[in-house]
Amino acid sequence: MSLLTALVDPAAPAEVEVVRVGEEVLSRAELLDRARRFGAGLRDAGPVAVLAEPSVDTVVAVVGGLLAGVPVVPVPPDAGPREVAYVVADSRATCWAGPGRDGVELPCVLPADVAPADVISADVTGMLATAGPALILYTSGTTGEPKGVELSAAAIAAGLDALAEAWEWTAADTLVHGLPLFHTHGLILGLLGPLRFGSPLHHTVRPTPARYAAARGSIYFAVPTVWGRVAADPPAARALRRARLLVSGSAPLPVSVFRRLHALTGHRPIERYGMTETMITLSTRADGERRPGWVGRPVAGVETRIRSEEGGAAVPADGESIGALEVRGPMLFDGYLGRPEATAEARTTDGWFRTGDIATCDADGFHRIVGRASTDLIKSGGYRIGSGEIESVLLDHPAVAEVAVVGLPDPDLGQRVAAFVVPERTPRDGLADELTGLVAEALSWHKRPRDVVFVESLPRNAMGKVQKKRLL
Ligand code: MLC
Ligand code: AMP
């Protein structure tokens, strides 16, 4: 059995459109042919790093890697040279797909021009049984560098099938979104889902309200920032009345946005909750209650438990008591690449994954995510950003004596990255912009601080530890 069941189904029509990215369209036959040829070019079976621009070439490279049974490592296209070099080295990628990037010295396979002679043998079809990771997704932690999350084809298939069941997602649907193709939301749910279920994907390149309104789909995916922008654009929102499901995730959907979307579109959005490490574990359903501020029940195969942060006792399922959310299920990751200690730390001794989120659950099994246990993981526009990685880049700058990075509440992005900087001396003009640029260059554009605040000192407790909560 293949992960991409509908795509490789020999009985499916060849000429049907399966993926559209902006103006570029791929039929099923074209995608299969190009992906198989690309896959055949990956001769040594080492991971392939794919510069995940929103383009059909990215789709070809990802699908080609999966069909060839080669781990795919998506690289954010807005990543600076230092982050690109880190991801390539840490993942031990042996091949680079896409336009060249400074500092990448791997052999390059361009998805656009693989020779026809390279047609892959028909028996390589991305079997679910393939050992090892199908995808390695890089994601930030509370400290240190981002970690590579290893997801097997079997886990991805289980995660997608659970969503198909909850959302009644079938080949009769057309999915529309414009999310990045390097994270769970846009890549796994947003690309591999359509190719597994045979529902065409229309990727809008950027997730703007106008583009969502212009596309004709039955299911729309977006992060809360995008839904907030749609809700602030009534003509665009009204165009989504004809959809079947509006789905929000990757960060909390503000209740006000839920209500406004409902008023403008006639739809109560589906909210679902997940993580790179777990895929989607909680969701409301196509045929069930959708409650503003709540993310629903465990999807098929998932179990959850909520334990008190002090002592670990189960908290009552009364919809008010809060505790640390732990999950288990068949869609969870296998581990952090090359980091057995971090992998072990992420799980309890009895095998549950510690999400790091604080949640409550009511007597009906409905969950609400209250926040994160640590202030060191920031969610900005749906992107997960570790304050530690930004702090270490800023501390490298000679004008920075001390720094603390936090996520401040933001009406558009949910949280915005803010850096509180103690300068070595009176900050010169332009230093704030220089520090912002440094993060964009070393890490990614989307990790750059939106605010740089110069302060004389950072709030510390008696032990000298920075008290970030006092900066919020
Ligand atoms: C963009 N811009 C750049 C740039 N990239 N400029 C210079 N250099 C770069 N590298 C410009 C754009 O052209 C634009 O300019 C401006 O910056 C703002 O662009 P934007 O795209 O609107 O960005 P922004 O407002 O910062 O971002 C909002 C957002 C983005 C919602 C589009 O945050 C986003 O795509 N979020 C999705 C994150 C996501 O998919 N997370 C899922 C994680 S998985 P101008 O002039 O055109 O305005 C997960 C699991 C789960 O969490 O549960 O799903
Ligand atoms: P990532 O690893 O980028 O997928 O980020 C995972 C984190 O996003 C989770 O640990 C949550 O903190 C947050 N998250 C995802 N979906 C939701 C949601 N629907 N509501 C609240 N937080 C969410």
Side-chain angles (χ1 to χ4, degrees):
M1 265 271 271
S2 171
L3 169 60
L4 308 177
T5 328
L7 179 70
V8 301
D9 177 4
E15 296 315 320
V16 63
E17 174 179 322
V18 287
V19 173
R20 171 184 293 263
V21 184
E23 300 304 314
E24 296 177 288
V25 174
L26 286 173
S27 70
R28 194 178 80 85
E30 283 166 335
L31 175 53
L32 260 184
D33 174 60
R34 285 186 56 187
R36 283 183 167 149
R37 284 195 276 124
F38 176 81
L42 305 173
R43 293 190 195 288
D44 64 3
V48 54
V50 177
L51 188 72
E53 286 171 334
S55 67
V56 297
D57 284 352
T58 295
V59 173
V60 166
V62 169
V63 173
L66 292 174
L67 292 182
V70 168
V72 174
V73 186
V75 179
D78 69 342
R82 177 164 141 182
E83 186 151 296
V84 171
Y86 169 76
V87 168
V88 164
D90 190 75
S91 65
R92 304 199 174 173
T94 57
C95 171
W96 174 262
R101 274 286 196 269
D102 280 356
V104 178
E105 274 148 33
L106 297 175
C108 183
V109 183
L110 284 175
D113 44 54
V114 182
D118 283 337
V119 175
I120 202 165
S121 65
D123 58 350
V124 183
T125 53
M127 307 298 278
L128 286 185
T130 303
L135 289 178
I136 303 171
L137 300 183
Y138 275 81
T139 193
S140 301
T142 48
T143 54
E145 309 269 28
K147 298 191 277 289
V149 171
E150 299 179 287
L151 285 163
S152 69
I156 295 169
L160 289 174
D161 290 350
L163 295 181
E165 193 276 328
W167 302 343
E168 298 170 12
W169 182 2
T170 70
D173 285 302
T174 295
L175 175 66
V176 175
H177 74 86
L179 297 170
L181 292 176
F182 47 91
H183 280 314
T184 303
H185 198 162
L187 179 66
I188 301 185
L189 278 54
L191 172 64
L192 305 188
L195 299 176
R196 181 163 177 80
F197 306 131
S199 68
L201 165 66
H202 180 168
H203 190 282
T204 60
V205 181
R206 290 186 60 191
T208 61
R211 292 186 191 192
Y212 275 37
R216 302 254 152 196
S218 58
I219 306 183
Y220 285 73
F221 286 173
V223 295
T225 298
V226 172
W227 286 128
R229 293 176 186 183
V230 170
D233 183 342
R238 283 192 201 100
L240 303 190
R241 283 187 162 267
R242 59 177 179 261
R244 185 173 73 78
L245 287 182
L246 310 183
V247 184
S248 180
S250 305
L253 182 69
V255 168
S256 58
V257 175
F258 183 113
R259 297 221 163 101
R260 191 149 172 75
L261 275 180
H262 183 205
L264 289 166
T265 66
H267 295 289
R268 297 169 73 78
I270 291 268
E271 257 226 84
R272 91 297 174 290
Y273 157 86
M275 290 185 77
T276 309
E277 290 89 336
T278 66
M279 300 203 18
I280 307 309
T281 47
L282 294 162
S283 182
T284 53
R285 298 177 57 87
D287 63 358
E289 183 192 358
R290 305 182 202 161
R291 197 188 299 170
W294 294 70
V295 294
R297 298 192 177 87
V299 297
V302 170
E303 292 170 276
T304 62
R305 69 183 187 188
I306 301 178
R307 298 202 297 157
S308 132
E309 286 185 280
E310 303 87 35
V315 306
D318 57 9
E320 284 179 10
S321 305
I322 61 171
L325 175 65
E326 295 174 357
V327 300
R328 63 180 182 193
M331 59 288 281
L332 264 60
F333 74 138
D334 288 330
Y336 296 111
L337 180 69
R339 293 169 197 263
E341 298 87 21
T343 304
E345 235 172 72
R347 294 204 174 91
T348 63
T349 45
D350 55 348
W352 294 72
F353 177 76
R354 306 177 209 267
T355 65
D357 288 304
I358 305 299
T360 180
C361 176
D362 74 6
D364 297 327
F366 249 64
H367 290 65
R368 185 161 68 85
I369 307 299
V370 177
R372 283 205 65 87
S374 166
T375 48
D376 288 325
L377 263 195
I378 299 167
K379 263 272 155 165
S380 185
Y383 284 119
R384 171 167 152 186
I385 301 167
S387 55
E389 54 181 328
I390 300 179
E391 287 162 358
S392 77
V393 167
L394 292 176
L395 281 172
D396 279 348
H397 193 287
V400 174
E402 294 173 48
V403 62
V405 168
V406 295
L408 294 181
D410 185 274
D412 180 43
L413 297 170
Q415 291 184 308
R416 69 177 185 282
V417 175
F420 289 83
V421 173
V422 179
E424 283 288 355
R425 59 191 70 82
T426 308
R428 58 184 145 72
D429 283 353
L431 180 60
D433 288 345
E434 195 177 315
L435 296 178
T436 301
L438 180 66
V439 175
E441 178 72 6
L443 302 174
S444 296
W445 171 261
H446 68 259
K447 293 181 181 174
R448 74 198 187 283
R450 309 283 173 136
D451 297 343
V452 175
V453 185
F454 293 109
V455 290
E456 278 183 15
S457 62
L458 297 173
R460 292 182 188 271
N461 64 15
M463 312 291 291
K465 188 173 174 339
V466 177
Q467 294 176 298
K468 289 196 174 177
K469 290 205 166 113
R470 289 178 51 195
L471 295 169
L472 302 179

